[in-house]
Amino acid sequence: MSEEPREKPTNFIRDIILEHNASGRFGGQVITRFPPEPNGYLHIGHAEAITIDFGMAAEFGGRCHLRFDDTNPAKESQEYVDSIIETVRWLGFDWGKHLYYASDYFEQLYQWAEQLIRAGKAYVDDLTAEQMSEYRGTLTEPGRESPYRHRPVEESLDLFRRMRAGEFEDGAKTLRAKIDMTSGNINLRDPVMYRIRKASHHRTGDAWCIYPMYDWAHGQSDSIEGVTHSICTLEYEDHRPLYDWYLDQLGVHHPQQIEFARLSVSHIITSKRKLLELVQQQVVSGWDDPRMPTLAGLRRRGYTPEAIRDFAERVGAAKAAKVVDIALLEHCLREDLNRRAERRLAVLRPLKLVIENYPEGQVEEMEAVNNPEDPSAGSRKVPFSRVLYIEQDDFRDPAPPKYFRLAPGAEVRLRYAYIVKCTGVERDSAGQVVEVRCTYDPDSRGGDSRGRRVRGTIHWVSSSHSIPAAEVRLYEHLFSAPRPDDADDWKTVLNPQSLEVVRGARLEPTLAGVDRGSRFQFERHGYFCVDARDSTPARLVFNRAVGLRDTWAKIEKASS
Ligand code: ATP
Ligand code: MG
């Protein structure tokens, strides 16, 4: 199918790269990297960074590395490494052979640290963490020099080697850069380069008991890899002078850091700390709970990589922070699945419908279009018989005003089949409708052959041919507040209705044995994905990825 080419939104990062290429800086090369810390699962915000990092490299014929910034063994794990690798690949990006770990550079970083000590640019400090923050000063007051700042180079070198050898306890000493305690930029007030942490690392095991700070590792890792454009989020803008200082002191390759605003999406939190709390406190079933803003959760919910990339591209890289409406994310998925997902009939809350004048035992195969957006998807046959199920919601007695579905005396079209007229109902002893009776018009099959129109069309499945769904899971936003990050306590803004489990749904028989992860549109209900974790052929479980109502399309229309 042809699609109108969407113009790429302007992007200040592209403009900077174009400038570099014009001036010959980096010789026209574009090497970027995506540098996650393996301390949690990737979320929708990371998708933005990934799309920019890989997208810019691809656009300029360069390459993008996947590098784990694994400098903090206390919070990192192999589980996170594995999930990140799988997720970036699932999004559709390829780093080739350029998979790196900051921990691979620990020895080089250590050697460079010794080099700075020898040059009088770094020293071992004995101040405690509390003392250090007291000495650091504030935004309005300069810091004070540590009494250890001027200890002889040889002494620092000796102490640093003994730190590495494990002679001191956690927190007893640090290595600090000797820059400027009076700098207006607090990051330059003798930042810590190494701390002692006697913890096992998921890759280096017990080889190290001193670990580099992120700020000491990050710029040098970029430099080692020959990164030209080190794209990161805005909170690192104030760290750039420090990264520059380190690289200048070492006299090594100097990437250009470019900062953009973090992506925030309404109704979503992206703080990894808070996401971890949601998992640990079992508010959700895990990192990949379909309500989570993690890419693993969105994937399980039914999101496609294409929809997520489309969303990231439409949001684009911005210099100023803004909150993107979650309706845009949903809109991107709806657009993608509208083109690709086959339609199916599913009755979520069944009510029996008996066609009194339809011959007992007769079965007709009704031709149903698989995807009106995609003729190549063809059609399928859906069995029709005397006893059907329709949605409870599609019958009312009495009918409210403007109700065009089924009600006593009213007519409705059964999708892909006949027009039926309601003749009566059966109720149980409590007065609940348990069965609707009707007659059908044998001449009305398929379309309105006699030019007869009825206002409503409802979907159905045959009672004896349909198959059960063990669970159909319907989701709402995990947080009812549009900006859950603003709440003092996220627990106060949780949406108690974020998950509804519907049991007893009936599906058209072509859904038997569907693969986990496959996606369909259930007509009139939305797009659904076969749950990748819990669904089995004998116990089908579907997640609603997104409903059919497009609030974003309305927002766009109103604003254009
Ligand atoms: P932490 O708080 O643990 O540092 P983080 O969100 O910064 O978490 P990282 O693993 O360090 O997570 O992020 C990897 C990359 O993704 C970084 O370059 C970071 O700037 C970028 N990134 C993280 N969150 C977002 C977001 N919401 N929008 C855009 N980019 C993001
Ligand atoms: Mg980070």
Side-chain angles (χ1 to χ4, degrees), residues 33-50 52-53 67 69 75 84 214 218 231-236 260-265 270-273:
R33 83 287 170 268
F34 172 62
E37 184 180 355
N39 62 351
Y41 279 58
L42 298 180
H43 53 63
I44 186 70
H46 291 115
E48 175 71 18
I50 293 168
I52 294 171
D53 293 329
R67 181 181 70 243
D69 263 320
K75 291 191 171 165
I84 290 169
Y214 179 86
H218 191 81
I231 304 166
C232 63
T233 36
L234 228 41
E235 69 270 26
Y236 294 104
F260 68 97
R262 241 164 217 272
L263 170 66
S264 309
V265 181
T270 49
S271 148
K272 280 196 249 179
R273 179 180 58 78

Side-chain angles (χ1 to χ4, degrees), residues 213-374:
M213 299 301 288
Y214 179 86
D215 278 349
W216 167 242
H218 191 81
Q220 278 64 256
S221 301
D222 280 348
S223 177
I224 291 169
E225 293 173 19
V227 166
T228 56
H229 299 86
S230 178
I231 304 166
C232 63
T233 36
L234 228 41
E235 69 270 26
Y236 294 104
E237 197 166 26
D238 292 345
H239 297 236
R240 174 152 38 94
L242 173 58
Y243 300 164
D244 288 346
W245 188 87
Y246 284 140
L247 295 166
D248 288 343
Q249 298 307 315
L250 297 170
V252 293
H253 164 74
H254 207 131
Q256 174 66 52
Q257 177 169 303
I258 305 168
E259 305 89 8
F260 68 97
R262 241 164 217 272
L263 170 66
S264 309
V265 181
S266 66
H267 295 285
I268 274 182
I269 56 173
T270 49
S271 148
K272 280 196 249 179
R273 179 180 58 78
K274 290 181 190 168
L275 294 176
L276 180 63
E277 282 172 16
L278 288 170
V279 173
Q280 285 176 337
Q281 298 182 23
Q282 299 181 6
V283 175
V284 294
S285 64
W287 284 99
D288 68 350
D289 186 297
R291 291 166 293 176
M292 288 283 269
T294 53
L295 296 172
L298 292 170
R299 176 183 182 179
R300 194 172 155 198
R301 174 92 168 245
Y303 271 80
T304 60
E306 290 82 358
I308 292 172
R309 291 202 311 258
D310 181 30
F311 170 72
E313 268 163 29
R314 288 198 207 194
V315 170
K319 196 74 197 177
K322 64 174 177 198
V323 180
V324 176
D325 196 317
I326 195 170
L328 175 61
L329 178 62
E330 295 171 345
H331 173 77
C332 291
L333 179 63
R334 220 176 262 119
E335 249 191 28
D336 187 32
L337 292 183
N338 181 41
R339 284 191 294 260
R340 297 203 288 163
E342 293 200 353
R343 278 47 170 174
R344 293 291 182 268
L345 300 180
V347 175
L348 300 195
R349 295 174 179 88
L351 173 62
K352 202 185 256 187
L353 177 73
V354 179
I355 309 172
E356 291 166 334
N357 59 339
Y358 195 86
E360 259 230 54
Q362 179 171 308
V363 179
E364 284 177 89
E365 298 287 337
M366 299 305 185
E367 173 118 355
V369 172
N370 281 332
N371 187 349
E373 301 290 320
D374 176 11

Side-chain angles (χ1 to χ4, degrees), residues 508-553:
E508 65 166 80
T510 57
L511 285 164
V514 282
D515 291 334
R516 286 176 171 189
S518 51
R519 306 174 184 91
F520 299 94
Q521 184 196 99
F522 289 173
E523 291 202 23
R524 301 173 66 218
H525 284 304
Y527 295 96
F528 291 75
C529 179
V530 183
D531 190 74
R533 207 179 260 291
D534 301 333
S535 193
T536 65
R539 244 194 121 263
L540 293 174
V541 177
F542 288 86
N543 300 322
R544 177 152 70 187
V546 68
L548 294 173
R549 207 164 49 97
D550 197 336
T551 46
W552 181 256

Side-chain angles (χ1 to χ4, degrees), residues 42-77:
L42 298 180
H43 53 63
I44 186 70
H46 291 115
E48 175 71 18
I50 293 168
T51 307
I52 294 171
D53 293 329
F54 281 90
M56 285 296 112
E59 192 174 321
F60 290 96
R63 62 171 197 261
C64 180
H65 302 174
L66 176 59
R67 181 181 70 243
F68 288 96
D69 263 320
D70 54 348
T71 52
N72 184 0
K75 291 191 171 165
E76 298 163 3
S77 77

Side-chain angles (χ1 to χ4, degrees), residues 158-261:
D158 174 59
L159 289 170
F160 187 48
R161 288 175 180 163
R162 287 162 60 194
M163 280 167 65
R164 176 179 183 168
E167 282 188 35
F168 309 110
E169 290 315 302
D170 283 15
K173 295 190 187 323
T174 56
L175 182 73
R176 298 178 70 179
K178 194 189 281 185
I179 309 180
D180 179 3
M181 288 308 292
T182 65
S183 172
N185 183 339
I186 290 182
N187 293 304
L188 295 177
R189 294 184 189 169
D190 290 13
V192 173
M193 295 167 63
Y194 276 91
R195 63 243 195 267
I196 303 171
R197 184 159 292 173
K198 295 192 168 147
S200 267
H201 184 280
H202 57 103
R203 293 192 79 245
T204 58
D206 296 321
W208 295 89
C209 62
I210 56 171
Y211 288 95
M213 299 301 288
Y214 179 86
D215 278 349
W216 167 242
H218 191 81
Q220 278 64 256
S221 301
D222 280 348
S223 177
I224 291 169
E225 293 173 19
V227 166
T228 56
H229 299 86
S230 178
I231 304 166
C232 63
T233 36
L234 228 41
E235 69 270 26
Y236 294 104
E237 197 166 26
D238 292 345
H239 297 236
R240 174 152 38 94
L242 173 58
Y243 300 164
D244 288 346
W245 188 87
Y246 284 140
L247 295 166
D248 288 343
Q249 298 307 315
L250 297 170
V252 293
H253 164 74
H254 207 131
Q256 174 66 52
Q257 177 169 303
I258 305 168
E259 305 89 8
F260 68 97

